[in-house]
């Protein structure tokens, strides 16, 4: 950058110049400037802001007193552009407004939804000439703001948004910012130090003096600046000896402490009010100084001493070290008094959250009124999506709570908020403390449920199952002991028992433990409404599913099938998912609606209806995206990705799993990581990407086996078997797929055994083991005996054809194709139809009916090509050549040219979804969607949405 100069920082200025040039040209960039206090971070940030034109500049500075207030820094940063929120998708707009305190949240917000809204708002602000966001003192930025900004920074892509961060080099900030490029600011060299000293003192220092002072300060620019003000002209020019020791021996903070100590008492009191107030509000600070008995005009003396800048809208400390020195120099009693008066003033202004924090700082011991106010502030932060900051506030409320039972409940809430905020260690600590205090049965059950959820998300699923079942049994025993005496409490306990049983069923499903599923179903039978009253519809649905699943695993199909059918019949149609009051159950909120759809998918799987299971899973994904589910989106994306794979959408399935994998890793959901890796392995197997398949599968198994995740381990192992089958390694495929049938709980899963049956039959026949093929076909017949869908019957017919004599095979394969033709969603059956057509074509060719064979083989080859199923396409084209048809080299499948993000966007646009709604579903900004579409159209050789829809159909 030409023009004014910062001593000793030429390389940094060049880097900032390139950074700003990229933003003006439309690129998205992020950069962290990291260094010790006084290294010059703030100076460089101000320099960048001053030279950003014509790009717009937004600024925020972390303040230690507000480091626990959710979205405090974001409020500073976005205040000038909040009016642009109307251009955002509705869900993002509402989430951002609620986060910034401009509206009440309609429900508990997912932090990803808030973050997506921040990303959209920043891209809107960058629309004309680009945008530079400057965030200083990041080490004190509240967690909610930090999460949102870093989420956005990882997704800047052609938006012309730059995020420039200044932070001290502390462990927490280094960890949080590890994914962003950074520059470490060390001390300046002797030449830079000479420039700093000369600029401050107005004279040229003697080289030996420069060397000594540089060594004493470590080249820290702020320390050099302060030292120059403490040395005389004679000392700087070498005409008088330097003091021994140099006056920077206690550091810059020590120098500031001495300066403050020399100020008048009234000035120190007013400065204390300013240091504790947080936002620098002049009216609040002056009023607090007055109540503390000080003259508020005494701040002018601090300004004259270079301690603060008195701006029209803000009292700003010249450096954070000065604020720290003011705080350190005050007595504890003085600090408590200042907090007490600040709290009273903020209560008068109806700023409840900040008032509660000051009241807490003024407290000298447990106080229920103070704790209750602080807990309410924590709940408001949680409702806005600021989970980590809510956890911090709730933990402090628990500390101040005198009653052990109330303290345990607040610790429970702390644990839940910390978990959702991505702090599992803090969550476990709070949970352990709550367990030590809890005595009430319902609370004990709730604590056990939270602990089990933690374990199921990231730990050993078998341990989670044990915890859920034990808690359910204890709670159920309490219900029996108190039956009829306290109807309302009894109903609450029964709901807790049902929730624990549902969580236990989820854990059993993850493990593949059918005996546990039977046990859970039996326990669910005993759950009725209080004094015989019916359960609410949502509870009745869940109870039917649990009882039906248990009955089927127990072999009681006559009891289990009607229960599952009744549950599925009570679900709303596709048009009401996630709309309040529109689901016919208990309020219709998106989280509950999505959870019911996931249970419906599990029920359909047990009925042998993979197509229905896929539909329910896909619907759950749609509901989760538009409703802002709390902390569970990666888990829902597992099911949505699986649904797309089961519906022939391998490229989109992989794209969804890549998104889910990134989110799961960001939130520390290790078991969801395993799920997405396993699904990616299957998608890679179908597409013949051997190295990718093996890498995904082995990484998934490395998590799934020790965590007892039989479902994920089974899917990963299935992927390796499917890879061998597609590549023609039939003996190896037969061995791998057969091994799935003997893998016990924690290593395999009954649903995977069922889902892989058709591949197992094909591998067995190709390997020459007809007896194994017939046994597998018989198994599939028993499993799908109650299935009503054409696809399920078609799959059975295909397996029967492979295991049958040649005379019957062709008729059965034609029957399978006819059944697949009856499916309402022909796109969803593309893969099954192609596999069946390939087998039929092969049989016809062996019967020398080459003309008939060619049409089926051609259809199969074309379908495999569209899906990117390379190994299967090569097999079909090889059969075509053997049938006498010359086939040219296949062109690359169009969808293979798209990135995962482009594919997700293209698929939704092809379905008729607007750019605005695509942004809402994918946690992007509308402008990012437009940017990607501009790249998608040329890649696919199209120019319109209509062409895109035709292509993807």
């Amino acid at each position: 950058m030409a023009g004014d100069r910062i001593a000793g920082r030429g390389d940094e200025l060049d880097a900032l110049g390139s950074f700003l040039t990229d933003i003006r040209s439309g690129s998205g960039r992020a950069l962290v400037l990291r260094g010790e206090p006084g290294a010059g971070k703030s100076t460089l940030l101000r320099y960048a802001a001053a030279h950003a034109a014509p790009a717009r500049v937004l600024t925020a500075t972390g303040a230690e007193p507000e480091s626990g207030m959710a979205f405090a820094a974001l409020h500073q940063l976005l205040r000038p552009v909040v009016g642009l929120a109307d251009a955002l998708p509705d869900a993002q707009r509402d989430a951002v407004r609620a986060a910034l305190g401009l509206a009440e949240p309609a429900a508990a917000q997912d932090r990803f939804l808030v973050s997506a809204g921040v990303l959209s708002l920043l891209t809107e602000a960058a629309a004309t000439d680009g945008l530079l966001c400057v965030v200083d003192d990041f080490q004190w930025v509240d967690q909610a703001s930090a999460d949102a900004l870093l989420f956005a920074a990882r997704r800047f892509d052609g938006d012309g948004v730059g995020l420039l961060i200044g932070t001290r080099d502390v462990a927490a900030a280094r960890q949080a910012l590890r994914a962003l490029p950074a520059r470490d600011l060390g001390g300046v060299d002797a030449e830079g130090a000479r420039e700093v000293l000369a600029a401050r003192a107005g004279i040229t220092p003697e080289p030996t003096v420069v060397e000594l002072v540089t060594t004493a300060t470590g080249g820290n620019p702020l320390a050099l600046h302060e030292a120059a003000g403490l040395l005389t002209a004679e000392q700087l020019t070498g005409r008088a000896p330097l003091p021994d020791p140099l006056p920077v021996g206690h550091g810059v903070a020590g120098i500031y402490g001495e300066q403050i100590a020399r100020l008048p008492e009234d000035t120190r009191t007013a400065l204390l009010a300013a240091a504790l107030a947080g936002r620098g509000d002049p009216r609040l600070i002056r009023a607090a100084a007055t109540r503390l008995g000080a003259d508020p005009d005494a701040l002018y003396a601090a300004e004259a001493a270079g301690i603060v800048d008195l701006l029209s809208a803000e009292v700003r400390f010249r450096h954070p070290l000065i604020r720290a020195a003011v705080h350190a120099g005050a007595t504890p009693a003085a600090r408590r008094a200042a907090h007490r008066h600040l709290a009273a003033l903020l209560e008068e202004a109806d700023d409840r959250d900040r008032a509660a924090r000051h009241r807490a700082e003024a407290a000298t011991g447990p106080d229920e009124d103070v704790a209750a106010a602080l807990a309410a502030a924590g709940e408001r932060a949680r409702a806005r999506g600021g989970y980590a900051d809510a956890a911090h506030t709730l933990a402090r409320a628990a500390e101040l709570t005198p009653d052990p039972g109330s303290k345990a409940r607040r610790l429970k809430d702390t644990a839940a908020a910390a978990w959702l905020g991505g702090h599992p260690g803090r969550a476990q600590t709070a949970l352990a403390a709550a367990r030590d205090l809890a005595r009430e049965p319902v609370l004990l059950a709730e604590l056990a449920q939270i602990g089990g959820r933690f374990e199921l998300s990231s730990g050993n699923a078998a341990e989670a199952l044990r915890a859920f079942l034990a808690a359910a049994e204890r709670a159920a025993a309490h219900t029996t002991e108190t039956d009829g005496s306290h109807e309302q409490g009894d109903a609450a306990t029964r709901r807790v028992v049902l929730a624990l049983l549902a969580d236990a069923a989820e854990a059993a499903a993850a493990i593949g433990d059918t005996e546990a599923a039977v046990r859970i179903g039996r326990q669910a039978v005993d759950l009725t409404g209080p004094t015989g009253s019916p359960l609410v519809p949502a509870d009745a649905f869940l109870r039917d599913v649990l009882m039906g699943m248990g009955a089927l695993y127990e072999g009681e199909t006559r009891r289990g099938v009607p229960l599952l059918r009744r549950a599925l019949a009570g679900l709303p149609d596709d048009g009401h998912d996630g709309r309040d009051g529109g689901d016919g159950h208990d309020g219709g909120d998106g989280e509950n609606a999505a959870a019911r759809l996931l249970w419906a998918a599990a029920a359909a799987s047990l009925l042998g209806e993979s197509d229905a299971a896929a539909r329910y899973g896909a619907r759950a994904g749609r509901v989760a995206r538009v409703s802002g589910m709390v902390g569970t989106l990666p888990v829902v994306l597992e099911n949505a990705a699986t649904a797309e794979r089961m519906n022939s959408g391998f490229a989109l399935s992989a794209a969804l799993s890549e998104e889910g994998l990134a989110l799961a890793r960001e939130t520390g959901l290790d078991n969801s990581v395993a799920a997405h890796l396993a699904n990616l392995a299957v998608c890679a197997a179908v597409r013949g990407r051997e190295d990718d398949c093996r890498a995904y599968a082995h990484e998934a198994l490395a998590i799934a086996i020790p965590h007892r995740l039989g479902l994920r381990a089974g899917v990963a192992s299935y992927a390796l078997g499917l890879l061998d089958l597609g590549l023609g390694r039939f003996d190896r495929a037969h061995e791998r797929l057969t091994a799935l049938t003997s893998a016990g709980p924690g290593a395999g899963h009954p649903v995977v055994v069922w889902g892989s049956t058709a591949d197992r039959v094909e591998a067995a026949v190709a390997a020459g083991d007809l007896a194994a093929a017939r046994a597998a076909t018989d198994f599939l017949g028993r499993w799908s005996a109650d299935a009503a869908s054409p696809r399920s019957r078609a799959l059975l017919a295909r397996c029967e054809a492979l295991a049958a004599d040649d005379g019957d095979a062709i008729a059965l394969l034609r029957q399978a194709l006819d059944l697949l033709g009856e499916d309402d969603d022909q796109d969803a059956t593309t893969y099954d139809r192609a596999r069946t057509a390939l087998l039929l074509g092969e049989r016809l060719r062996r019967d020398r009916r080459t003309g008939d064979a060619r049409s089926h083989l051609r259809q199969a080859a074309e379908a495999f090509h569209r899906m990117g199923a390379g190994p299967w396409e090569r097999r079909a084209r090889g059969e075509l050549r053997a049938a006498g048809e010359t086939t040219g080299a296949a062109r690359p499948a169009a969808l293979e040219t798209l990135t995962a993000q482009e594919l997700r966007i293209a698929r939704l646009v092809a379905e008729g979804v607007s750019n605005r709604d695509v942004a809402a579903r994918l946690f992007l900004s509308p402008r990012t969607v437009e940017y990607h579409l501009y790249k998608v159209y040329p890649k696919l050789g199209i120019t319109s949405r209509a062409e895109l829809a035709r292509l993807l159909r």
Side-chain angles (χ1 to χ4, degrees), residues 146-177:
D147 286 344
L149 288 170
L150 296 179
F151 177 99
R154 289 189 290 268
R155 289 160 178 82
F156 292 156
D157 188 3
D159 293 321
V161 181
L163 176 61
L164 195 56
I165 290 173
T167 182
R168 293 185 187 178
D169 190 9
V170 293
R174 183 176 282 269
Q175 174 67 14
L177 298 168

Side-chain angles (χ1 to χ4, degrees), residues 789-821:
S789 68
R791 202 189 307 185
S792 299
R793 301 200 305 275
L795 198 65
L796 179 60
R798 185 172 111 198
C799 291
E800 289 172 342
L802 290 173
D805 296 329
D806 282 348
D808 298 326
I810 290 176
L812 285 166
L813 287 169
R814 290 189 188 279
Q815 178 188 343
L817 279 177
D818 290 341
L819 285 167
L820 290 170

Side-chain angles (χ1 to χ4, degrees), residues 34-66:
R34 190 166 51 208
E36 66 178 357
K41 303 180 297 295
S42 300
T43 301
L44 288 167
L45 294 181
R46 288 193 294 269
Y47 186 90
H51 290 78
R56 189 175 205 160
V57 178
L58 300 177
T59 63
T61 301
E64 193 170 12
E66 297 194 350

Side-chain angles (χ1 to χ4, degrees), residues 573-707:
D573 62 35
D574 207 358
H576 295 289
D577 294 338
R579 292 179 173 85
D580 290 344
D583 66 349
H585 295 297
D586 57 346
D589 64 278
E591 185 164 2
N592 288 336
R596 282 192 293 275
L597 288 166
L598 294 181
W599 281 114
S605 289
L606 284 181
L607 291 171
E609 298 176 358
S610 59
D611 48 349
R615 284 197 300 272
Y616 289 127
R619 286 171 60 187
R622 291 196 297 272
V623 170
R625 286 193 182 283
V626 300
S627 64
M629 287 184 66
V630 178
T632 54
L633 183 59
V635 177
V636 174
L637 286 175
E638 297 170 21
N639 295 273
T642 301
E644 290 297 340
R645 171 166 59 82
M646 293 168 66
N647 282 337
S648 307
F650 299 103
L652 183 56
S653 176
L656 289 172
S657 270
E658 287 176 6
E659 179 188 7
L661 179 62
L663 293 175
R665 282 180 165 152
E666 285 179 19
T667 49
L669 299 177
D670 292 345
N671 294 349
S672 188
V673 167
H676 288 295
L677 288 167
N679 187 65
L680 284 166
V682 178
C683 293
V686 171
R687 298 154 91 182
R689 299 177 177 177
E690 184 164 7
D691 290 345
D692 289 344
C693 175
R694 293 190 184 284
Y696 288 136
H698 291 153
E699 190 179 352
L701 288 167
I703 299 172
I705 295 298
H707 287 200

Side-chain angles (χ1 to χ4, degrees), residues 648-939:
S648 307
F650 299 103
L652 183 56
S653 176
L656 289 172
S657 270
E658 287 176 6
E659 179 188 7
L661 179 62
L663 293 175
R665 282 180 165 152
E666 285 179 19
T667 49
L669 299 177
D670 292 345
N671 294 349
S672 188
V673 167
H676 288 295
L677 288 167
N679 187 65
L680 284 166
V682 178
C683 293
V686 171
R687 298 154 91 182
R689 299 177 177 177
E690 184 164 7
D691 290 345
D692 289 344
C693 175
R694 293 190 184 284
Y696 288 136
H698 291 153
E699 190 179 352
L701 288 167
I703 299 172
I705 295 298
H707 287 200
R708 303 284 293 155
L709 301 172
L711 178 58
R712 307 314 174 193
V715 172
S717 299
Y718 165 67
L720 295 171
L722 182 62
L723 177 70
D724 287 329
L725 180 62
L727 295 176
R729 299 191 287 251
F730 298 121
D731 288 341
R732 185 63 176 147
H734 180 34
E735 180 183 340
R736 284 190 187 277
L737 294 171
T738 300
L740 291 174
T741 64
S742 58
H749 199 283
V751 171
V752 177
V753 174
W754 159 61
S756 63
T757 302
D759 298 294
R760 190 164 73 253
V761 169
E762 187 171 336
V765 170
D769 191 347
L770 195 58
R774 286 173 175 161
T777 300
D778 289 343
F779 162 79
L780 182 62
R782 293 191 299 274
W783 184 285
S784 58
D786 296 292
S789 68
R791 202 189 307 185
S792 299
R793 301 200 305 275
L795 198 65
L796 179 60
R798 185 172 111 198
C799 291
E800 289 172 342
L802 290 173
D805 296 329
D806 282 348
D808 298 326
I810 290 176
L812 285 166
L813 287 169
R814 290 189 188 279
Q815 178 188 343
L817 279 177
D818 290 341
L819 285 167
L820 290 170
E822 295 175 12
D823 196 289
D824 293 335
D825 188 351
Q826 288 296 287
D827 287 343
T829 62
T830 301
Y831 180 61
D832 285 326
R833 282 188 286 116
R835 290 280 299 271
T836 306
L838 173 59
L839 292 169
L840 178 56
E842 289 174 336
R843 291 284 181 140
L844 290 169
R845 186 186 68 77
R846 285 205 298 274
D847 280 0
R848 302 183 186 282
R849 297 162 62 179
T850 55
D852 196 4
R854 283 195 293 268
S855 65
H856 292 293
L857 293 170
R858 193 181 308 114
Q859 291 170 10
E862 291 171 356
F864 288 136
H865 177 73
R866 290 195 301 274
M867 289 181 288
W872 299 96
E873 182 187 358
R874 288 191 292 274
R875 178 171 153 185
R877 291 192 184 279
E879 288 288 332
L880 267 176
R881 287 191 293 272
E885 181 169 308
T886 302
T887 62
R891 292 179 294 103
L895 297 185
E896 296 295 299
T897 67
L898 302 183
T899 67
Q901 186 76 293
E902 289 167 354
L903 181 61
R904 288 193 288 267
I905 291 169
R907 179 57 60 95
L908 289 171
V909 169
E911 292 174 2
V913 180
S914 69
N915 287 4
R916 186 183 175 98
D917 287 339
V918 171
R921 294 192 190 186
L922 297 184
F923 289 172
L924 299 172
S925 73
R927 293 188 183 277
T928 299
V929 173
E930 293 171 10
Y931 170 76
H932 281 297
L933 282 177
Y934 283 131
K935 295 196 295 183
V936 165
Y937 287 174
K939 283 186 177 183

